[in-house]
Amino acid sequence: MRIADKLAGGQTFSFEIFPPKGEMPLECAYVVASEMAADRPDWISVTYSAGGSGNSANTVPIAASIERDLGVTALAHLTCLGSTRADVDAYVAALDGAGIENVLALRGDRAPGREERDFAHASDLIAYLRGRGCDLCIGAACYPEGHVESPSEQESFESLYKKQEAGADYLVSQLFFDNEDFYRFREKCLRHRVRLPVVAGIMPFTSVRQIQRMAFTCGASIPAKVVKRLVLAGDDPADQARAGIEYACEQLVDLAANGVDGLHVYSMNKPGVAHAAREALVACGYLGA
């Protein structure tokens, strides 16, 4: 089912997983997806490595298994930096052959040796997909606190508007730790003529090191209330992870209460994180038991 249709029907709840890296067997991803599917998400997204590198070859097989074996809608990521039109054509053909009708169109992170080829921006990829008559339901990324490479808020919203006009059906946000940042972003979208549904993406922090890395790479600010949670958790890794999951669940409940279009959990391949998120929303009546 197309994710845009799910969003039109009401608030959605979804998870993200990533394909295994290195020597980890592909079967591990199937197990993770199966355990997450038990929590009845509206969809599960599967990440991708840009330019045909890394673990991107596993994205379509995992997404296909989610659709075919688990009966859950799959969202396959596609990053375009370093890719050619032929690469994209081959990927879309693979999606079509696997019966996958949802894709998240992304530029991808810049990295040494990964140069622009046929696509400089996600909006270029979206326009290309639409221009070739692609019937995929296309999602795109958004950044509640602005993209780290955008010199101004105005340019961030201009980029979002280009994605909308190129043919994106909805937006999924980068992580954030203060819901007020998301609510302000949602209001600003309307002022900048961006009227697509916006799914709020939440990632639980699991350690001091992880949250520092996320703040640097994603441009997410760390509010004082998060710092206090980490201080109270102390040095024990389990206590830090527990504090992060609890905080993320509080974010999700508040977002649900404020009528966001969708809730997306960056679950880091941890079914326990996904399950805790669902349980918190069930307890508050935003999801059925």
Side-chain angles (χ1 to χ4, degrees):
M1 182 175 180
R2 296 167 66 88
I3 289 173
D5 294 335
K6 290 177 177 284
L7 288 164
Q11 193 173 77
T12 62
F13 177 61
S14 54
F15 305 132
E16 177 183 280
I17 67 172
F18 51 84
K21 299 178 181 179
E23 298 302 317
M24 183 183 295
L26 187 58
E27 287 71 20
C28 289
Y30 296 144
V31 171
V32 169
S34 178
E35 293 184 15
M36 289 187 181
D39 280 309
R40 306 193 303 279
D42 290 292
W43 40 279
I44 297 176
S45 71
V46 187
T47 64
Y48 178 95
S49 293
S53 63
N55 54 354
S56 58
N58 291 327
T59 301
V60 173
I62 294 171
S65 177
I66 289 170
E67 289 265 2
R68 180 187 64 244
D69 303 326
L70 303 178
V72 176
T73 296
L75 170 63
H77 289 210
L78 171 58
T79 59
C80 63
L81 192 64
S83 296
T84 64
R85 293 182 180 88
D87 294 331
V88 171
D89 290 345
Y91 188 79
V92 170
L95 292 178
D96 185 60
I100 299 165
E101 54 186 342
N102 297 283
V103 68
L104 188 65
L106 306 164
R107 185 198 71 182
D109 297 329
R110 298 190 187 280
R114 184 180 297 159
E115 301 176 353
E116 293 177 10
R117 300 180 76 178
D118 288 339
F119 306 95
H121 306 285
S123 55
D124 299 330
L125 173 61
I126 296 167
Y128 177 72
L129 292 172
R130 290 298 184 218
R132 70 190 295 280
C134 179
D135 193 40
L136 287 167
C137 179
I138 302 175
C142 62
Y143 305 85
E145 298 177 75
H147 194 283
V148 290
E149 296 180 19
S150 289
S152 68
E153 180 180 280
Q154 179 66 30
E155 288 201 24
S156 281
F157 281 101
E158 287 176 0
S159 295
L160 274 186
Y161 184 74
K162 287 179 181 177
K163 293 178 184 180
Q164 173 181 277
E165 296 306 286
D169 294 301
Y170 62 95
L171 302 170
V172 181
S173 89
Q174 179 58 274
L175 62 93
F176 55 91
F177 296 106
D178 189 336
N179 286 2
E180 292 304 318
D181 288 329
F182 183 83
Y183 300 142
R184 284 191 291 269
F185 169 77
R186 188 169 58 170
E187 293 174 0
K188 289 176 181 177
C189 278
L190 296 179
R191 294 205 295 270
H192 288 271
R193 300 178 295 157
V194 177
R195 293 178 169 81
L196 297 174
V198 184
V199 176
I202 296 297
M203 178 184 286
F205 58 85
T206 57
S207 68
V208 173
R209 179 177 295 181
Q210 182 216 27
I211 201 169
Q212 289 173 334
R213 183 175 67 252
M214 290 191 296
F216 181 79
T217 58
C218 304
S221 58
I222 311 300
K225 53 189 174 183
V226 169
V227 176
K228 291 179 181 177
R229 293 287 184 101
L230 284 168
V231 170
L232 290 173
D235 297 326
D236 184 73
D239 289 340
Q240 290 182 5
R242 189 177 303 111
I245 293 171
E246 289 175 354
Y247 184 81
C249 288
E250 291 170 14
Q251 280 190 275
L252 290 165
V253 168
D254 180 74
L255 290 162
N258 279 276
V260 302
D261 296 310
L263 303 163
H264 189 58
V265 182
Y266 297 112
S267 52
M268 302 167 290
N269 282 19
K270 297 180 179 178
V273 169
H275 185 69
R278 179 176 180 81
E279 288 296 294
L281 293 166
V282 169
C284 294
Y286 295 113
L287 287 178

